[in-house]
Amino acid sequence: MRRTVPEDRGPVRYGPPAPDPGLPVPPELAAVLAAAADRAAPEPPGGGRTVREAARGYWQRRGLFDAPAGPAGAPDRIAAAPGAPALLVALLGAYGGDVLMPRPCPAWWTPQVRLLGRRAYHVPTPAECGGVPDPYALLETVTRVRAEGGDPRLLLLSVVDDPTATVAPPGILSQACEAAVDAGLSIVSDETWRDTLHRPRETVLVSPAEMAPEQVTVLVDLSGALLPPAWPAAVARFPDTPRGHWLHARTLDILAATGALLAAPVAAAAAHALAEPESITTGVRTAAALHGRIAAALHHTLLTAGALARPPRAGRHLYADLTPLRAGLARHGIGDAMELEEYLADRLGAPAPGGHRFADDLGAPRVRLATGPLLGATEAERLAALNAPDPLELPHVRRSLSRFGAVIDELS
């Protein structure tokens, strides 16, 4: 039997960060943060009543939280932390065991597993989407790991994916969740990007928590759509089972032990954003549509040049495979994802992390391309893109897209 090697060798490597929104902080959120700036004490471990109540309402509106608030008003199945990495470390510590995740996967997942000394196993994704493992490959991997003495307990997945910018179809997601449950795995569903759908009325989005509610913990990094990346905040929703309540309590223990406490001013901004007043939701939808327009233009340019990329459905990025351009890449001395990353970052003047940073094959010339840098170099240009009826008609956006096209043409 072929040995399944855990990908936890070598040093812990960080980065790249998630795609930046490239847009100014909404004045409304800045005002909320400023009004709470004199709050010197941090939130309690797992967040205070206000932010957890706001998170409960956020999930109730999405059909993922039906239970009423507890006696003190704050739900006992929600935890908040200063950013998704800190919260994921606490979750991994609570669950224990080895971890499975799709290939490619968000760049920040594997370092959290390595920090805890756990084994990470990456499973191929289906052809239709990223973010979830192929169910047959998942079962095969679990069988091999256990036969070799491993202890797989947890599957990480992202139904709305970074890096591939895809949304997992419900049928494929259901098969992956069923395979995980059959294999005795718990699931953590990273739904950071669920509010960044480019065309929400044309995209069917289902959470794994709707399919396997007793096995799924949902994680949302608020920097995906609701807060600026510089204000770290994330929330998790636990299953309403005895084990779910134990996991919640254990997660709070770890957050307390590591000092991962949410800053009070950030908690105030997070609670306001999670409550989703109309001004916030309008801004979120407008920003998502803007990034969708830019991503579609990049996708068209890549396909025209002969590269491959799944159509981007969400987020502020897309994932390109330049394997069909091997001959052109070779002329520029590009033989793998690392060299492609360096070349594009130099030519585009913006980060272009290679697929190897997302646990993809180093030898495959794949790269994540962000849309934020194309919105403009100044705040005025970025605001103009946000407010324009057709951002692709703005001169500075046209120049950015033209420059991108020229760089890709050099490689074709």
Side-chain angles (χ1 to χ4, degrees):
M1 179 181 292
R2 178 168 60 87
R3 182 168 177 77
T4 305
V5 180
E7 299 180 22
D8 57 356
R9 307 306 184 197
V12 175
R13 295 182 175 87
Y14 295 91
D20 190 273
L23 295 170
V25 176
E28 178 180 341
L29 282 180
V32 172
L33 186 83
D38 61 349
R39 299 183 189 175
E43 295 279 289
R49 169 179 175 172
T50 301
V51 70
R52 289 198 290 161
E53 282 282 7
R56 178 178 65 86
Y58 171 88
W59 276 309
Q60 272 190 325
R61 290 187 292 276
R62 288 154 180 80
L64 299 183
F65 209 112
D66 298 326
D76 58 1
R77 291 166 48 207
I78 291 175
L87 189 48
L88 181 59
V89 164
L91 289 172
L92 293 172
Y95 275 101
D98 299 334
V99 183
L100 295 102
M101 57 190 78
R103 179 197 303 277
C105 68
W108 61 278
W109 282 2
T110 307
Q112 314 308 312
V113 179
R114 289 174 174 166
L115 277 175
L116 295 176
R118 304 284 172 74
R119 296 181 178 91
Y121 298 90
H122 294 88
V123 183
T125 57
E128 294 86 349
C129 65
V132 300
D134 177 89
Y136 301 104
L138 176 63
L139 291 173
E140 181 183 15
T141 302
V142 171
T143 299
R144 287 178 176 172
V145 170
R146 286 181 175 149
E148 294 161 7
D151 183 24
R153 297 188 198 176
L154 185 64
L155 169 65
L156 295 182
L157 55 78
S158 53
V159 62
V160 182
D161 188 43
D162 170 26
T164 65
T166 58
V167 178
I172 292 175
L173 180 64
S174 176
Q175 293 173 16
C177 290
E178 183 178 354
V181 172
D182 288 346
L185 302 177
S186 297
I187 300 171
V188 169
S189 174
D190 180 358
E191 300 184 8
T192 293
W193 301 97
R194 68 170 297 146
D195 296 313
T196 67
L197 299 181
H198 299 161
R199 298 176 180 271
R201 294 184 178 180
E202 301 174 15
T203 307
V204 178
L205 171 60
V206 179
S207 170
E210 299 175 66
M211 299 176 172
E214 296 187 353
Q215 281 79 29
V216 178
T217 295
V218 179
L219 170 68
V220 174
D221 187 338
L222 302 189
S223 68
L226 296 175
L227 288 183
W231 304 356
V235 290
R237 165 214 172 273
F238 294 81
D240 188 16
T241 63
R243 175 163 170 75
H245 289 278
W246 181 88
L247 288 168
H248 175 259
R250 180 61 177 152
T251 298
L252 297 190
D253 289 342
I254 297 172
L255 292 173
T258 56
L261 308 178
L262 194 60
V266 175
H272 183 79
L274 284 165
E276 297 182 296
E278 181 61 29
S279 55
I280 293 295
T281 57
T282 298
V284 167
R285 288 193 298 266
T286 302
L290 169 61
H291 286 286
R293 292 293 304 278
I294 303 297
L298 295 181
H299 183 251
H300 176 76
T301 298
L302 287 165
L303 296 189
T304 300
L308 303 173
R310 295 186 180 102
R313 305 295 187 195
R316 306 186 283 261
H317 56 285
L318 76 164
Y319 197 58
D321 184 351
L322 275 61
T323 299
L325 310 183
R326 282 282 194 187
L329 297 177
R331 289 196 301 271
H332 292 274
I334 302 170
D336 60 24
M338 186 179 299
E339 292 169 347
L340 178 61
E341 172 185 305
E342 294 172 352
Y343 180 91
L344 290 178
D346 178 64
R347 295 297 193 277
L348 296 174
H356 62 292
R357 297 185 180 271
F358 307 100
D360 214 339
D361 181 7
L362 173 62
R366 300 187 184 111
V367 63
R368 187 187 70 185
L369 300 166
T371 54
L374 282 76
L375 302 183
T378 67
E379 182 172 321
E381 288 182 342
R382 294 189 289 269
L383 279 174
L386 184 64
N387 297 321
D390 185 356
L392 301 185
E393 293 299 319
L394 294 174
H396 69 274
V397 174
R398 286 205 308 269
R399 286 194 299 269
S400 296
L401 290 171
S402 177
R403 181 168 63 251
F404 174 81
V407 170
I408 297 301
D409 284 343
E410 291 176 1
L411 300 175
S412 62

